Amino acid sequence: MKISSNDLLELYHLLKFPRLIEEKMLLLLRQGKLSKWFSGIGQEAISVGSMFALENEDVVFPMHRNLGVFTSRKVDLERLFSQLLGREGGFTKGRDRTFHFGAMEYNIIGMISHLAAMLPVANGFALSYKLKKEKKVALSFIGEGATSEGDFHEAINLASVWNLPVIFLIENNGYGLSTPSSDQYNCKNLADRAKGYGIKGEIIDGNNVLEVYTVIKKYADQLRINPAPVIIEAKTFRVRGHEEASGIKYVPKKLINEWKKKDPILWYEKYLLDKNIINNSDIKEFEENKNREITSIIDKVLIKKVPISTVEKELNDVFSLSSFKEIQPDFKSTEIRRFVDAIKDGLFLKMKEDPSTIIMGQDIAEYGGVFKVTEGFIEEFGEDRVRNTPITESAVIGTALGMSMQGYKPIVEMQFADFVSNGFNQIVNNLAKTHYRWGKGVNVTLRLPTGAGIGAGPFHSQSNESWFFHTPGLKIVYPSNPYDAKGLLSSSIEENNPVLYFEHKGLYRSIKEEIPKKSYNIELGKLKIVNQGSDLTIVTYGMGVIWAKEYLKNTNYSIELLDLRCLLPLDLQGILKSVKKTNKVLVLHEDNLTGGIGAEISALITEKCFEHLDAPVVRLCSIDTPIPFSSNIERDIYLPNLDIGEKINYLMKY
Ligand SMILES: Cc1ncc(C[n+]2csc(CCOP(=O)(O)OP(=O)(O)O)c2C)c(N)n1
């Protein structure tokens, strides 16, 4: 590949700039003006060469040693230094560490600490490009240490199956913290793994900026025409410590000295000097100019304030503002639908109305999903929008996040709610925290077929809503009837925040009711009073509502039955209003007792309206065991519903 002298010179300037910044940063660190630093010295050719090869419209996912990505994309330096030095005016309002930030306007998506977690998100961007027929690529950096993480394998496998234009660029710098690569993986080259994923892989000299540029450019050009992922392994070395405070005693000195001789800047300077493209005074002049520029910006930034905030501001930024617009139900045209049909109808109508909706999940296409919720969808909407996935919960949830950042409204079906544990990190650390960290709303809906009562055992029956209830940034929806299921699903899909939509499998085919045929929606966070009463309030949701309704058929007590419908946001005012009226409360749920939603509700009631209580708040929940397989044990011992009468009698007599 022929590169003009001007380009060679520009590349030199880009390569040298992050080194000059780092040298200054290391000084500031020693002076106590910088809290932490992960050095990329000796690895700059990888960041810079690859950025020089890409177009600015291509998205990039840097890691903690990729300062050169930000400088090569010409990110506003005052903002950059404000972020790095923890001052006001950075990218994350002081909410993130030195390198955990992105800048969407430069098509840079920030990392989270969980190293490989952004690889699936890169897939989401790449899939969006492909669907929109945009000739762009995604490039994701990853250290050789982090290639051991599950997300690495899931993301590449998914990208391969779907032919997504992603460059997975491994920076193999020999060590993952103190762990040498020989303790990290047991193959000769990580690029060799490409074969196993059915994709191309190539090893490059990560200290040779021209080689990095040439190879990345070659693949970027190819991927724009024929989308497919590729693994590039850039061999390099970490010549400083993992981070500056942690030392480097465990690395043999000889190795460091050998690699220092292969310094990418020294090599490239020599190359340009030999070609007479620069001379020593050019180098000196560039260094002096840039150092002056860096110093002047740093001086300006260091006198800026550290970010300050208020409780209100912090809380306000957890969620993107809701843009709920009510769609009234049309009761002129109705039909009798089961719970499962209502979900299917809601999903179908949304897919029909809004081309930005897309469904992903295991066996959801031709097979229609294990519960047949998406049966017939592929015929109607095609395989681009109804996507069968490999068994990769984490990669698919991360992909959904990337797609949502590209304007899609992805809906991901977990085959069973139980399997969401395999996507846990993506949910609690990526989906939940994105808006708070950098103000980007996340429109992802996860559908979770949940619940016991069908003898499916400990791994196909769990109520796991409380796993997520504790995490700021998530919304949790849990309907108990066909009408709500359809209306709440519509709102969940529109919601510009991550929503976990729990659907009880036991309700799918056991309940039905007359519901409007057309679309309508229901605002999230509003409970429903299923039955008015004055003696006692039952607070419940999901299957609990069905159990409570059964009980109500045969009691003379005046019971107020509240169906929460949403656990987050929780309609606390609605709960308190009822408790103030009845003065006694039973909190009922199928999930087991300890640390369940009931514990929080009970605490809130006790704290907020203690004076109105005539009895302790009582919880009735499943016992604290895994869910037994045997239907007898599940029904007679595990689940709580047989004890409703006893608990209510206890409360009434109190
Ligand atoms: C999931 C996870 N486990 C552990 C860590 C702690 N940690 C941070 S960086 C690091 C080493 C990473 O090595 P590598 O991926 O090779 O990148 P490098 O630091 O060498 O650039 C470790 C273990 C983490 N951030 N995330």
Side-chain angles (χ1 to χ4, degrees), residues 64-65 113-115 143-146 149 173 175-177 238 242:
H64 46 289
R65 301 190 199 281
S113 288
H114 301 62
L115 302 156
E144 89 291 341
E149 281 186 52
N173 64 7
Y175 282 82
L177 216 156
R238 202 193 68 203
H242 168 62

Side-chain angles (χ1 to χ4, degrees), residues 107 169 507 520 580:
N107 297 306
L169 178 49
L507 299 181
Y520 57 92
K580 284 177 188 169

Side-chain angles (χ1 to χ4, degrees), residues 321-332:
L321 273 185
S322 177
S323 56
F324 177 76
K325 283 190 206 73
E326 191 178 0
I327 305 164
Q328 292 276 354
D330 176 1
F331 283 104
K332 288 199 288 290

Side-chain angles (χ1 to χ4, degrees), residues 391-611:
I391 307 166
T392 51
E393 285 77 10
S394 184
V396 174
I397 295 169
T399 298
L401 172 59
M403 296 195 76
S404 112
M405 290 182 190
Q406 279 291 298
Y408 283 97
K409 296 174 185 164
I411 302 145
V412 181
E413 176 178 304
M414 290 290 109
Q415 198 153 70
F416 285 78
D418 308 68
F419 303 133
V420 75
S421 51
N422 283 17
F424 194 72
N425 185 45
Q426 287 295 341
I427 298 172
V428 301
N429 284 318
N430 245 343
L431 298 188
K433 294 180 176 52
T434 297
H435 189 268
Y436 175 73
R437 293 171 65 223
W438 42 287
K440 185 80 190 147
V442 171
N443 191 335
V444 172
T445 308
L446 302 181
R447 290 187 35 243
L448 301 134
T450 189
I454 49 173
F459 307 111
H460 289 77
S461 310
Q462 290 173 85
S463 291
N464 44 18
E465 60 275 14
S466 69
W467 295 357
F468 304 99
F469 186 67
H470 184 65
T471 302
L474 301 174
K475 298 206 171 183
I476 303 179
V477 175
Y478 204 139
S480 73
N481 58 71
Y483 178 82
D484 286 349
K486 185 170 171 183
L488 288 169
L489 183 59
S490 169
S491 311
S492 300
I493 295 169
E494 279 309 309
E495 178 72 33
N496 199 22
N497 289 295
V499 177
L500 278 75
Y501 178 94
F502 284 89
E503 39 195 72
H504 200 295
K505 307 187 292 282
L507 299 181
Y508 273 155
R509 292 171 173 81
S510 64
I511 55 168
K512 54 186 172 189
E513 68 178 324
E514 200 160 337
I515 61 171
K517 279 188 182 170
K518 287 193 190 147
S519 272
Y520 57 92
N521 61 10
I522 297 168
E523 192 172 359
L524 303 189
K526 303 269 182 249
L527 62 71
K528 188 191 246 174
I529 303 175
V530 180
N531 196 60
Q532 298 272 356
S534 55
D535 289 341
L536 178 147
T537 299
I538 299 180
V539 182
T540 188
Y541 57 92
M543 188 58 94
V545 179
I546 310 301
W547 294 333
K549 276 164 88 177
E550 271 305 301
Y551 171 80
L552 289 189
K553 284 183 193 161
N554 298 307
T555 182
N556 294 323
Y557 296 129
S558 172
I559 307 263
E560 182 134 304
L561 174 55
L562 306 184
D563 178 357
L564 291 174
R565 306 199 287 186
C566 277
L567 307 178
L568 287 173
L570 184 70
D571 189 351
L572 179 61
Q573 292 317 315
I575 297 172
L576 296 182
K577 197 169 163 208
S578 176
V579 176
K580 284 177 188 169
K581 186 167 112 184
T582 64
N583 316 112
K584 289 185 177 179
V585 198
L586 176 70
V587 186
L588 168 67
H589 58 62
E590 180 181 314
D591 192 6
N592 61 295
L593 181 85
T594 302
I597 313 289
E600 182 65 20
I601 293 173
S602 166
L604 284 167
I605 294 171
T606 315
E607 208 173 295
K608 307 275 181 197
C609 62
F610 185 69
E611 294 79 8

Side-chain angles (χ1 to χ4, degrees), residues 298-409:
I298 287 180
D299 288 347
K300 206 166 150 194
V301 167
L302 278 176
I303 53 173
K304 284 168 105 178
K305 291 198 197 92
V306 293
I308 48 164
S309 190
T310 61
V311 171
E312 203 183 5
K313 272 192 206 161
E314 293 303 292
L315 289 172
N316 275 347
D317 279 353
V318 174
F319 290 105
S320 160
L321 273 185
S322 177
S323 56
F324 177 76
K325 283 190 206 73
E326 191 178 0
I327 305 164
Q328 292 276 354
D330 176 1
F331 283 104
K332 288 199 288 290
S333 166
T334 58
E335 61 185 330
I336 293 187
R337 301 298 272 160
R338 298 171 304 173
F339 191 76
V340 69
D341 306 322
I343 295 169
K344 179 175 186 158
D345 294 353
L347 207 52
F348 191 90
L349 284 170
K350 269 280 156 217
M351 289 285 281
K352 197 101 188 137
E353 290 158 7
D354 187 346
S356 64
T357 51
I358 197 153
I359 312 180
M360 301 187 279
Q362 291 153 30
D363 309 290
I364 62 148
E366 289 80 5
Y367 190 66
V370 292
F371 297 105
K372 302 296 167 203
V373 172
T374 52
E375 196 164 41
F377 277 44
I378 188 146
E379 289 80 2
E380 181 69 26
F381 304 111
E383 57 189 20
D384 276 355
R385 292 182 63 209
V386 182
R387 307 187 72 90
N388 262 349
T389 72
I391 307 166
T392 51
E393 285 77 10
S394 184
V396 174
I397 295 169
T399 298
L401 172 59
M403 296 195 76
S404 112
M405 290 182 190
Q406 279 291 298
Y408 283 97
K409 296 174 185 164

Side-chain angles (χ1 to χ4, degrees), residues 38-39 43 63-66 97 100 111-117 142-149 170-179 184 238 241-243 425:
F38 292 87
S39 175
Q43 297 179 220
M63 297 297 289
H64 46 289
R65 301 190 199 281
N66 297 123
R97 295 177 77 164
H100 295 53
M111 65 179 287
I112 68 168
S113 288
H114 301 62
L115 302 156
I142 192 76
E144 89 291 341
T147 63
S148 303
E149 281 186 52
I170 302 170
E171 280 189 65
N172 193 341
N173 64 7
Y175 282 82
L177 216 156
S178 73
T179 306
Q184 195 70 247
R238 202 193 68 203
H242 168 62
E243 48 93 24
N425 185 45

